[in-house]
Amino acid sequence: MTLREEVAIRKTFAIISHPDAGKTTLTEKLLLFGGAIREAGTVKGKKSGKFATSDWMDVEKERGISVTSSVMQFDYDHYKINILDTPGHEDFSEDTYRTLMAVDSAVMVIDAAKGIEPQTLKLFKVCKMRGIPIFTFINKLDRVGKEPFELLEEIEKTLEIETYPMNWPIGMGQSFFGIIDRKQRTIEPFRDEDNLLHLTDEYQLTESHPIESDSAFEAAIEELMLVDEAGESFDEDKLLKGDLTPVFFGSALANFGVRNFLNAYVDFAPMPGGRLTEEGDVIEPFEPDFSGFIFKIQANMNPAHRDRIAFMRIVSGAFERGMDVTLTRTGKKLKISRSTSFMADDTQTVNHAVSGDIIGLYDSGNYQIGDTLVGSSQKFSFEKLPQFTPELFMKVSAKNVMKQKHFHKGIEQLVQEGAIQLYRTLYTNQIILGAVGQLQFEVFEHRMNNEYNVDVIMEPVGKKIARWIENEEDIRDVMNSSRSILVDDRFGNKVFLFENEFATRWFEDKFPDIKLYSLL
């Protein structure tokens, strides 16, 4: 198979949603259809003892939520599909944002009863900004929720994107009968999936069935005729530009409507696309020279081996295990002899991968998030990945002074994952952690205890306004105070932690020559 043929069958997407919309459950069912797993363990597994394949971390299994981005690959209908299951919780949005930089399309899961929720809107805007094609799965139709037209209107108005329903539900909740596939003109019954019903072009059943006299069926047909009369056709170009979203109705937990979605997804989702470099060039997927970038680092995926994995998106060319690459940030040449693919915490060695694939590189400390790897003859860096300005801060120290070595190793490795940021006070070297949300601190404390066997003391510093300095050489000791704490970040850059907006403005007025800036 040529490189072009291999790349053409890759589909790489992220699943995004508000917490509890059913994102991880949908991921499980997609893996089930792909033959990657034999039995789906869902987030309901806290009671049953089964856990979602994509939730591999102890804290995720205990809470029934996703707090890391998992990567899974499976084959379906001659395609190789890479799924990135992202954290739904807003405290981990930075991890999700970076993950969205590594995919070619996104699947947005919406709870039929709740519609568009704040985190859904936030993540959608990132997709829209990057022009990522979005597929929408409206979940939990077997429960009472909003009417289909209301949901479509909400998506169009709130997200400012056109919708095209690929199927249509018949009833909902207790009266949910099934879905009508608009293209195939078939009805897939909810409780009798083998008994597929066929419709004529006028939405008449081709053979008699008791459903004909059902009020929910009659209402669904009337609604579908209204949709058809609106005359809007499916526009694949708009989909690929991110201006139209195909909408699917179903129930992931009941494993209903998922195959209907998956079949359409592989038909219409884009193959891997090019990526911009810092110099403004586009590196295309069919270019023969290898390139890729690191978008995630995860420590202790296998706690028994204290391993550390750098997740790489391949942008161009082919990866071969044992190949030599150059890390452009340092100019250092590396031989990649240990590489892996994922099924959450189940891994296997990767010998060959191409543009669009996500692979894991065993990391002894060489990589940072955002690093570019290229074939030895090239020199360029891909666009920088987003980094957020933290809002919450916490002093942290080891409860047992005899465990300082484990304490510092744990902090170093967890900070490198990017969810929390590390700062040190100038003279006392006190460690301060910064995060976007409180849950990140809770996960940090849990992981320090469980993965590094270190109990930590966490002292809240509270909300601060972090500002970096363009002209560090002009900083003077008098600027460091209780209202404007001067610290070093982990790269040695000076940062002011201001008490509040008033303190920030006061500083800017008093020291106008100091040029401050924030991250995203």
Side-chain angles (χ1 to χ4, degrees):
M1 201 182 278
T2 65
L3 174 64
R4 183 172 287 271
E5 289 170 335
E6 282 193 272
V7 174
I9 62 172
R10 259 63 181 182
K11 306 282 184 179
T12 302
F13 70 94
I15 297 193
I16 60 175
S17 78
H18 200 82
D20 297 325
K23 168 182 56 64
T24 302
T25 304
L26 177 61
T27 304
E28 290 287 323
K29 298 307 164 67
L30 293 173
L31 297 175
L32 196 63
F33 280 121
I37 55 176
R38 293 184 180 178
E39 181 181 16
T42 75
V43 289
K44 299 290 184 185
K46 286 185 291 182
K47 293 179 181 177
S48 68
K50 292 189 299 180
F51 300 108
T53 300
S54 55
D55 288 341
W56 57 269
M57 196 184 288
D58 284 345
V59 68
E60 294 180 302
K61 294 173 181 177
E62 289 169 11
R63 288 171 176 261
I65 58 170
S66 299
V67 296
T68 61
S69 297
S70 298
V71 180
M72 292 143 284
Q73 186 182 69
F74 67 95
D75 295 333
Y76 183 79
D77 193 22
H78 309 299
Y79 288 96
K80 286 197 175 292
I81 300 175
N82 295 286
I83 301 181
L84 285 79
D85 178 20
T86 63
H89 200 286
E90 63 181 348
D91 285 5
F92 289 81
S93 55
E94 188 171 352
D95 192 27
T96 302
Y97 277 45
R98 283 196 289 262
T99 297
L100 288 171
M101 303 298 114
V103 300
D104 302 294
S105 57
V107 174
M108 179 169 60
V109 184
I110 294 175
D111 186 320
K114 297 175 182 175
I116 302 293
E117 297 177 85
Q119 184 68 356
T120 314
L121 176 58
K122 206 172 175 182
L123 296 173
F124 169 82
K125 285 181 176 176
V126 178
C127 295
K128 188 75 173 170
M129 181 176 67
R130 287 202 63 232
I132 298 174
I134 297 171
F135 295 74
T136 299
F137 188 88
I138 297 180
N139 195 23
K140 305 183 182 180
L141 262 291
D142 50 338
R143 304 179 189 177
V144 175
K146 297 181 179 181
E147 295 295 329
F149 277 124
E150 184 183 354
L151 288 162
L152 295 179
E153 184 179 13
E154 188 176 335
I155 293 170
E156 293 196 346
K157 283 189 174 179
T158 309
L159 306 182
E160 296 180 345
I161 190 172
E162 291 182 33
T163 61
Y164 185 89
M166 303 293 279
N167 59 30
W168 198 262
I170 302 172
M172 70 172 64
Q174 291 295 317
S175 62
F176 181 48
F177 180 84
I179 52 173
I180 302 172
D181 185 312
R182 293 181 67 192
K183 183 180 178 182
Q184 302 297 331
R185 285 295 200 271
T186 56
I187 296 174
E188 184 180 340
F190 178 49
R191 293 181 174 83
D192 187 11
E193 293 183 41
D194 295 329
N195 187 21
L196 201 66
L197 306 178
H198 296 270
L199 297 165
T200 66
D201 288 343
E202 292 77 31
Y203 292 117
Q204 301 292 319
L205 283 164
T206 56
E207 52 190 58
S208 62
H209 191 278
I211 190 180
E212 282 179 294
S213 59
D214 186 278
S215 59
F217 173 72
E218 292 174 2
I221 294 300
E222 285 181 21
E223 290 166 349
L224 252 187
M225 291 173 75
L226 284 173
V227 172
D228 286 350
E229 284 171 19
E232 294 177 0
S233 58
F234 180 70
D235 191 326
E236 194 169 348
D237 287 337
K238 281 187 176 180
L239 163 63
L240 296 177
K241 290 176 184 174
D243 294 329
L244 175 145
T245 179
V247 178
F248 303 81
F249 294 90
S251 169
L253 190 61
N255 206 11
F256 186 77
V258 179
R259 187 185 291 277
N260 181 268
F261 158 75
L262 187 54
N263 287 335
Y265 174 79
V266 295
D267 284 343
F268 297 113
M271 66 179 189
R275 287 291 186 278
L276 268 174
T277 66
E278 286 187 344
E279 297 77 19
D281 300 318
V282 178
I283 305 299
E284 299 291 355
F286 300 127
E287 292 183 23
D289 291 330
F290 165 82
S291 68
F293 63 90
I294 306 296
F295 67 93
K296 174 182 173 64
I297 291 174
Q298 188 73 55
N300 304 326
M301 290 190 73
N302 184 345
H305 293 98
R306 288 280 179 256
D307 61 343
R308 181 180 138 103
I309 303 291
F311 291 68
M312 178 175 67
R313 157 74 189 235
I314 300 176
V315 176
S316 65
F319 166 85
E320 305 292 344
R321 188 163 69 92
M323 73 186 299
D324 292 322
V325 299
T326 299
L327 177 58
T328 57
R329 174 175 49 82
T330 62
K332 187 177 179 181
K333 284 186 166 47
L334 304 168
K335 180 182 284 290
I336 302 179
S337 54
R338 299 184 69 198
S339 47
T340 184
S341 65
F342 303 93
M343 180 53 62
D345 62 346
D346 184 21
T347 61
Q348 60 183 49
T349 298
V350 169
N351 293 310
H352 173 82
V354 300
S355 314
D357 283 336
I358 308 290
I359 64 172
L361 309 180
Y362 285 87
D363 180 23
S364 58
N366 289 314
Y367 305 120
Q368 294 179 9
I369 289 173
D371 274 349
T372 296
L373 298 176
V374 297
S376 52
S377 63
Q378 305 173 84
K379 285 185 181 178
F380 62 82
S381 294
F382 289 111
E383 278 188 313
K384 289 183 178 176
L385 298 183
Q387 187 179 13
F388 285 35
T389 298
E391 298 173 2
L392 298 176
F393 295 85
M394 193 83 74
K395 288 181 183 177
V396 61
S397 56
K399 191 174 286 187
N400 184 345
V401 294
M402 302 299 289
K403 292 196 172 182
Q404 289 293 327
K405 186 177 178 182
H406 289 101
F407 171 72
H408 287 289
K409 181 181 180 182
I411 282 189
E412 179 189 6
Q413 293 191 347
L414 296 184
V415 163
Q416 285 171 338
E417 293 180 6
I420 52 175
Q421 294 183 28
L422 173 69
Y423 305 91
R424 294 177 191 272
T425 54
L426 288 194
Y427 303 112
T428 61
N429 224 25
Q430 168 69 55
I431 292 177
I432 297 177
L433 300 181
V436 175
Q438 178 63 33
L439 182 57
Q440 290 176 337
F441 292 130
E442 294 175 26
V443 171
F444 166 81
E445 186 174 8
H446 183 281
R447 292 185 66 188
M448 286 292 286
N449 181 272
N450 283 266
E451 296 173 21
Y452 298 94
N453 196 28
V454 176
D455 288 322
V456 295
I457 299 170
M458 309 280 282
E459 301 175 65
V461 178
K463 280 196 170 187
K464 299 288 179 187
I465 296 171
R467 291 294 180 265
W468 279 254
I469 304 109
E470 284 185 21
N471 51 329
E472 290 187 5
E473 65 278 4
D474 295 331
I475 295 172
R476 303 186 297 279
D477 281 348
V478 69
M479 299 174 182
N480 187 11
S481 71
S482 60
R483 301 180 67 191
S484 55
I485 304 169
L486 189 57
V487 296
D488 285 323
D489 70 12
R490 73 183 179 102
F491 302 109
N493 302 310
K494 295 285 186 289
V495 185
F496 277 113
L497 302 182
F498 292 106
E499 189 175 36
N500 49 36
E501 290 284 359
F502 176 80
T504 309
R505 288 195 300 269
W506 183 89
F507 182 93
E508 289 172 333
D509 290 341
K510 188 170 177 62
F511 306 107
D513 56 320
I514 301 298
K515 297 171 184 174
L516 304 174
Y517 69 94
S518 64
L519 306 178
L520 286 183

